[in-house]
């Protein structure tokens, strides 16, 4: 059965509201990032018409074309995929937020480009909460040093943390990783001179966003549940 993006969005917002009630949170504290990798522009436009204002892209190249096409709309673009330092320049030009800062060298490259453009870019530190080899992200032990370095960079505005936890069929099993990220955020707030800036937890995807919201997510990254399933990657 075909579901329009606006129908999907209504369902997601309902589920977010219920999760907020369970957790005693305000739904306005949860923002939805529509994840557009492989989604055709027409379908993205449908989402924008339905009220989505933050779009998340995994790849700089793919984003460039889409951002150009959707330039007339008031969208905040977030980079949510792994970023190589040699793509720092286009990343800073194209995106408002980068969720995947996980090493000093990348942060330095972004800072340099941001200062050149006289821009302050919002960043999240990606944490490898499951300690998985296949995934990017700083280990929980390295987080505090990395945060210390980033907080001195004038081109960057560190806003919080992001995680891509291990996949489990049962989203209850992801909950401990969401909790871990929330408690790490609390710990860097405790060390920060401006804890009020550190408010964001980017966590939760189509199959586990309710658990993420219950554990404090402020940015949920939703692709499939919003736009429908993606074509299988060609390998
Ligand atoms: C693809 C992707 C998502 C969205 O995944 P869905 O399961 O389709 O909601 C979220 N975050 C990242 C980093 C992704 O790559």
């Amino acid at each position: 059965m075909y579901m329009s993006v606006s129908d999907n969005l209504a369902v997601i917002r309902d589920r977010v509201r219920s999760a907020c009630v369970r957790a005693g949170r305000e739904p306005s504290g949860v923002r939805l990032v529509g994840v557009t990798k492989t989604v055709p522009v027409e379908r993205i436009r449908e989402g924008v018409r339905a009220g989505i204002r933050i779009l998340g892209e995994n790849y700089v190249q793919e984003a460039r074309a889409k951002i150009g096409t959707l330039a007339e709309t008031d969208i905040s673009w977030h980079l949510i995929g792994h970023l190589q330092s040699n793509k720092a320049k286009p990343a800073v030009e194209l995106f408002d937020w980068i969720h995947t800062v996980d090493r000093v060298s990348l942060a330095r490259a972004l800072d340099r480009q941001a200062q050149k453009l006289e821009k302050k870019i919002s960043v999240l530190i990606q944490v490898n909460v499951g300690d998985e080899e296949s995934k990017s992200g700083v280990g929980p032990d390295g987080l505090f040093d990395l945060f210390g370095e980033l907080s001195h960079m004038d081109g960057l505005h560190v806003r919080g943390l992001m995680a891509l936890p291990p996949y489990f069929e049962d989203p209850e099993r992801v909950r401990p990783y969401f909790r871990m990220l929330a408690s790490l955020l609390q710990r860097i707030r405790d060390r920060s001179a401006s804890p009020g800036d550190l408010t964001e937890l980017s966590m939760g995807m189509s199959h586990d966003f309710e658990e993420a919201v219950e554990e404090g997510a402020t940015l949920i990254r939703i692709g499939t549940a919003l736009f429908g399933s993606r074509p299988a990657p060609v390998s």
Side-chain angles (χ1 to χ4, degrees):
M1 186 181 65
Y2 178 83
M3 293 277 281
S4 71
V5 178
S6 68
D7 290 343
N8 290 338
L9 182 61
V11 171
I12 293 165
R13 286 199 168 137
D14 246 19
R15 290 169 59 188
V16 167
R17 259 193 299 275
S18 304
C20 283
V21 169
R22 289 193 293 277
R25 299 185 58 195
E26 285 297 326
S28 60
V30 182
R31 293 188 291 161
L32 188 147
V33 180
V35 175
T36 54
K37 58 173 175 253
T38 77
V39 177
V41 168
E42 257 328 295
R43 196 127 170 100
I44 301 174
R45 258 189 228 287
E46 231 185 294
V48 172
R49 276 196 297 270
I52 293 169
R53 284 297 170 269
I54 307 176
L55 294 176
E57 262 293 336
N58 288 68
Y59 308 105
V60 172
Q61 279 314 324
E62 195 179 328
R64 191 197 294 281
K66 287 178 183 164
I67 293 172
T69 315
L70 292 160
E72 77 282 11
T73 51
D74 178 26
I75 294 292
S76 176
W77 290 90
H78 290 208
L79 181 69
I80 62 167
H82 180 70
L83 179 61
Q84 270 155 359
S85 300
N86 63 8
K87 298 254 173 65
K89 183 166 186 278
V92 169
E93 286 167 354
L94 292 167
F95 291 95
D96 305 297
W97 285 59
I98 295 177
H99 288 218
T100 49
V101 177
D102 62 357
R103 55 201 190 279
V104 177
S105 55
L106 173 61
R108 285 209 183 98
L110 292 169
D111 179 43
R112 199 156 45 235
Q113 294 300 335
Q115 296 208 40
K116 253 189 218 164
L117 293 171
E118 295 180 21
K119 189 171 170 176
K120 207 168 169 94
I121 188 152
S122 287
V123 302
L124 302 176
I125 300 177
Q126 181 177 358
V127 185
N128 188 353
V129 286
D131 200 18
E132 294 172 280
E133 275 209 25
S134 61
K135 288 198 180 142
S136 310
V138 63
D141 293 341
L143 172 63
F144 303 101
D145 286 345
L146 182 58
F147 173 70
E149 297 268 357
L150 264 63
S151 51
H152 300 298
M153 297 184 186
D154 289 335
L156 307 185
H157 186 185
V158 186
R159 309 292 295 268
L161 304 178
M162 178 272 207
L164 197 58
Y167 178 85
F168 292 103
E169 192 80 43
D170 174 7
E172 266 313 313
R173 296 187 60 192
V174 193
R175 191 185 293 276
Y177 297 98
F178 294 147
R179 274 199 189 145
M180 183 194 296
L181 197 71
S183 101
L184 289 169
L185 180 68
Q186 191 51 55
R187 287 171 61 191
I188 61 170
R189 286 171 65 109
D190 291 344
R191 293 166 183 229
S192 168
S194 42
D197 286 351
L198 291 164
T199 53
E200 306 296 327
L201 283 170
S202 167
M203 59 187 194
M205 314 187 356
S206 290
H207 92 292
D208 56 14
F209 67 86
E210 288 155 303
E211 288 74 15
V213 167
E214 287 169 13
E215 299 304 330
T218 62
L219 290 161
I220 52 175
R221 308 181 308 266
I222 312 283
T224 320
L226 187 60
F227 294 111
S229 46
R230 291 180 288 272
V234 198
S235 51

